[in-house]
Amino acid sequence: MTRPDQQSLPHLTGGEAGQREVIGFLCDPATHGGLPVERVDTHISRIFLAGDRAWKMKRAIRTNYLDFSTLALRGASCRREMEVNAAAGDLYREVIPVTRREGRLHLGGDGTPVEWLVGMRRFDRNDELGRLCDAGRLTRIAAEDLADRIALGHAAAPVTPDHGDDADLRGRIDQIAGALSAAADGRDLARAARDWRAAAHRARQAQAGLIACRHRCHRIRRCHGDLHLGNVVMIAGQPTPFDAIEFNEAIASIDVLYDLALTLADLLARGRGDLGNAMLNRYLSATRDYRGLALMPLFLSMRGAVRAMTAASRGDDTEARRNLDFAIRALSPPAAPRLLAIGGLSGSGKSSIARALAPRMGPLTGAVVIRSDVTRKRLAGAAPETRLPETGYSAAMNRRVMARMTCDARAALRTGTTVLLDATFLGADWQACVERLAMHEGVAFDGLWLDLPPEAAMHRVEARGPDASDATTEVIRRQVADAACPAGWHQVPAGGRLDEVIAAAATALRLPDAYPIRSET
């Protein structure tokens, strides 16, 4: 098991001093056809940017979590980096040696290799998701596209049975706490670190059965391992993860939800819980990993504690305290879960309202939203925005959609998570089903009916772009006969501005003010 504090051991003989000649060579514009060179140093690599290319060189160091101390090890790590980042497409181009020939260094070609590089396609760093988020330009669609990408990656990732059991998780918590205490170096943070460690172990022990189940059920896989927003870049309009962990299999062999938790924690730390909620719900709609939500508070807490350790190690106590406070709050007992349903005609704004309210229904990632349109597409084996034929809307398929939504909602509720169901809820069978679910699970239920004249609903459906809903004006005409607010549900006029409808819905559902609503799409 490796420690996350990333403190280097003393360099071996030669070490980085032996790389000075290569560094000078790669900094020389002549090496790159006269193009100017920009150098970026990280804690484990040196990157040289010239024109449309980037050359990454491993630093000749050995730490408690990696070993780049020899040329052979650095070459092997370069090749492994290409392998684990294969999903990044042509962002990763080649592994190439720096060779010595006739007393001079050359980039590639014949000669004796003196260093190994990963050749990459250079990209605009302003397109990294972290920078887009900080600039207010990260969209919900991009966050959901990233969730799709991560879900596909997790499904294809190799299972790693030698990692991820309770002992492994216990060791990770101890290592994070130890590194945080060392970074705090006797300051007030050290006591808080001890408190966090005790709380994290209590949370782990409470979920011991689930941890063992996830290990048995192949939820521990060889993941990206470092999925913060700075390691995702928009390429051709698609969020593309890169810089997956290549140097230590233990760091990347983790629960798939712990992998995802780093991205969510990054969004939460940047004040974008709305995007975190959208991303998590998109991921869950693809994976149906609802039972795993019971571990998400612990996983988010661990990610927050690592962020605190990183901040403390660079002397930023304010940031460290903020992250550690988040880590401790994440482990607080949650409020009792609720079941909510939003119904109404197609086009009445159900999904927009659900998307806006869900982040407000919990202190971390908010409520789980289960949308009938998305569930239908997943059952049909199609992407949410793919239009289905008429057979996708048969009575038999409608029953399957209802059964799937009920099953997934039950799984999420039993983790203590509030669930919001988004469907038309036309017909007594749908209404009775959701109310029976709440009764059987012993949770409070609220129904919200969005009241919109059919003509307005038709206008909205005609105007909207790609969406999981396939509703047309003809579909709405057929819905009108059954469109009535069920007894006991809250009826909210839905013809006004979106922010007004959101506010009215929040008031009807008695949502707290602690988690602010954002209505950006």
Side-chain angles (χ1 to χ4, degrees), residues 276-299:
N277 179 265
M279 185 177 175
L280 176 60
N281 279 308
R282 181 76 169 208
Y283 178 91
L284 292 172
S285 80
T287 65
R288 298 186 68 207
D289 196 2
Y290 294 98
R291 285 193 65 196
L293 287 172
L295 282 167
M296 188 56 79
L298 174 59
F299 289 162

Side-chain angles (χ1 to χ4, degrees), residues 106-349:
H106 300 267
L107 197 55
D110 296 331
T112 302
V114 297
E115 195 53 77
W116 292 96
L117 310 175
V118 176
M120 301 178 64
R121 178 160 67 89
R122 187 178 184 178
F123 55 79
D124 186 346
R125 293 202 65 194
N126 289 322
D127 290 333
E128 292 174 0
L129 264 60
R131 297 192 179 197
L132 290 174
C133 188
D134 292 343
R137 297 192 296 119
L138 182 58
T139 66
R140 173 183 58 84
I141 291 174
E144 291 181 340
D145 286 347
L146 177 58
D148 288 343
R149 188 79 176 257
I150 294 171
L152 287 171
H154 285 168
V159 175
T160 53
D162 293 335
H163 302 277
D165 61 7
D166 183 68
D168 189 2
L169 190 55
R170 181 175 65 246
R172 288 179 189 271
I173 291 170
D174 286 341
Q175 290 162 2
I176 293 169
L180 179 54
S181 294
D185 192 24
R187 303 193 298 274
D188 290 343
L189 285 172
R191 177 177 296 179
R194 291 192 295 272
D195 292 342
W196 174 81
R197 178 182 179 275
H201 279 312
R202 287 194 296 270
R204 175 189 59 79
Q205 291 162 357
Q207 299 297 338
L210 178 58
I211 293 166
C213 178
R214 292 182 70 77
H215 189 264
R216 289 194 305 271
C217 295
H218 301 159
R219 296 293 188 178
I220 315 302
R221 297 187 174 236
R222 207 297 175 186
C223 298
H224 182 286
D226 199 20
L227 264 174
H228 61 79
L229 296 180
N231 277 347
V232 186
V233 63
M234 296 297 292
I235 301 290
Q238 290 297 313
T240 303
F242 67 98
D243 209 15
I245 297 292
E246 89 285 355
F247 50 80
N248 188 304
E249 294 303 299
I251 292 177
S253 298
I254 51 179
D255 192 303
V256 292
L257 288 182
Y258 187 50
D259 199 41
L260 178 68
L262 179 53
T263 321
L264 300 179
D266 209 353
L267 287 167
L268 290 170
R270 286 177 156 88
R272 295 307 305 262
D274 57 327
L275 295 181
N277 179 265
M279 185 177 175
L280 176 60
N281 279 308
R282 181 76 169 208
Y283 178 91
L284 292 172
S285 80
T287 65
R288 298 186 68 207
D289 196 2
Y290 294 98
R291 285 193 65 196
L293 287 172
L295 282 167
M296 188 56 79
L298 174 59
F299 289 162
L300 287 170
S301 178
M302 292 169 65
R303 294 301 192 182
V306 171
R307 292 174 64 93
M309 176 274 298
T310 302
S313 65
R314 64 173 183 263
D316 189 344
D317 282 10
T318 300
E319 179 68 15
R321 184 77 235 190
R322 181 163 45 245
N323 282 293
L324 189 53
D325 286 347
F326 165 81
I328 293 171
R329 286 198 311 272
L331 299 174
S332 300
R338 302 170 62 184
L339 179 64
L340 302 103
I342 298 185
L345 292 172
S346 296
S348 59

